[in-house]
Amino acid sequence: MDIYTAAKAGDLSRIKYLVEVEDVDINKKNEFDSIPLFYACLCGHKEIVMYFLDNGAILDGKTFEGERCYYAALNRNIINILRTYKAKPKPNLLAEELRKLCKSGAFADVTFHVALKEGPNMRGETHTFHLHKFILAARCPYFERSFLSRWQGQRNIFLRNQYIDPEAFGSFVEFLYTDTLNIPLSLVPNVQMMMRHCGMATSLMDLIEDEAEHMRRRGGVRVILNAATGDEDSSLQQQQQQQQQQRRPLVHDIWETYRREPCYSDICLDVDGKRFASHQAFLTIQSPYFKAMLSGNFLESSLLSAGLSSPSSSGPALSIPLVTARSFSYVLQYIYTNAIPDLTSLPTPTLNVDHLSLPNMDIADDDDDDDEGDDCLVLMGEVLSAADLFLMHGLKNFVVRQLTHLVDINNVMDFMDVGETFSSLRLQDYCVDYIVQHLPQLQGSPDLIEYMERDTSLSGQQQPTNPNVQHLAEIM
């Protein structure tokens, strides 16, 4: 079922799969010049309309597509949703996963015990926070210094300062994990005090103070930064954006710290004879493959529990088969940043990925230095295969988007096969559209004819069963 049919049928689960897993373009028009949002409005599916809008559907009443959604709306509820819609920033998926990690404490390697207080006296009870040294050290200079000095080697740290409120500490820590702050106005002084003590950027504290003062004037009760607030004061939003750009964002801190040295790593992976230090917390939140391996009843999980996998360069490591070392370096970059560079623009055959290995461990293959055939397509194929193996749909979609820029008349059928092999609807749709647009040049192509005939021969039926072949057969 394609996204247009799912929008008409009200099948939200199918739509979520197509958008979030298959990376189907939410604003793509069909043969009737209609976008999926149009069908959701036409059929009155409120939840699907809201889902499309929250995930990047373009709605502009001044355009033909936007106007169609308004006049096709089934009822007043749909019209009200469209009228009150405000564009929202695309959610930071890595930040959301780190938020869950902060709450769950999975694979935590340090526990903070913050004393509760009642009036002027400190009570004996404490509030515990199960956290991760790597994230705290990457994000905050104070934690980085303390883990190397007075807290070195400690798994339990007790904070009994009367000025540290457990709720404020929790909000501060969540900010370090997510780059988002959402606190009551009453906690602003306490959070600012902790940030100042921890050496956080002055521009950040100025930003918090400006937002707090703005909310006091408007009668607000909470300070929300780096999240959709519904604030219509564009001058304040512009000021926030300028101040945000002056400080390092979450992904930059994490990736640069990992590139410099994968400190506090708790696992070592052997990939194609090369060793990579990493963190189980990041591997499991980004890959169902690693989540099953490290959190379930698999042998690898048992070995880790028994201490038989060491993060050191000389200790034992878990072996990861069927993946090349250089492609795994990009897998790790995606795991820690939710993005990879444009592989089509990388120089070949030499790739500067040795910084991702353990210290003094070179992952560049000596035999590759003079291999002129080792081009970007081979690398992209390796990364795509690795993403498929590790069930990392986001990484697979990143590579597929880059692959579409390389499609031409000579290779479109090869890319169609790649799309079917890796179950990428986005790549298949792109190739079908490309074939339709260049049909005069491809009409007699042996590859196209063979592709059309192969489907009917495999199914043993007169009519094609592959939806791509069906669509092309109708046009041809």
Side-chain angles (χ1 to χ4, degrees), residues 110-115 122 124-128 142 150-151 154-161 164 169:
V110 64
T111 299
F112 282 85
H113 304 265
V114 183
M122 304 296 293
E125 309 97 278
T126 61
H127 191 100
T128 57
Y142 176 79
R150 63 194 187 104
W151 293 341
Q154 295 186 35
R155 291 189 62 90
N156 289 278
I157 298 170
F158 294 85
L159 302 178
R160 297 189 177 278
N161 190 315
I164 299 179
F169 181 81

Side-chain angles (χ1 to χ4, degrees), residues 11 25 63 99 208 258 292 314 349 375 383:
D11 192 340
D25 186 355
T63 64
R99 185 194 308 279
I208 295 173
Y258 180 76
S314 58
D375 59 12
V383 177

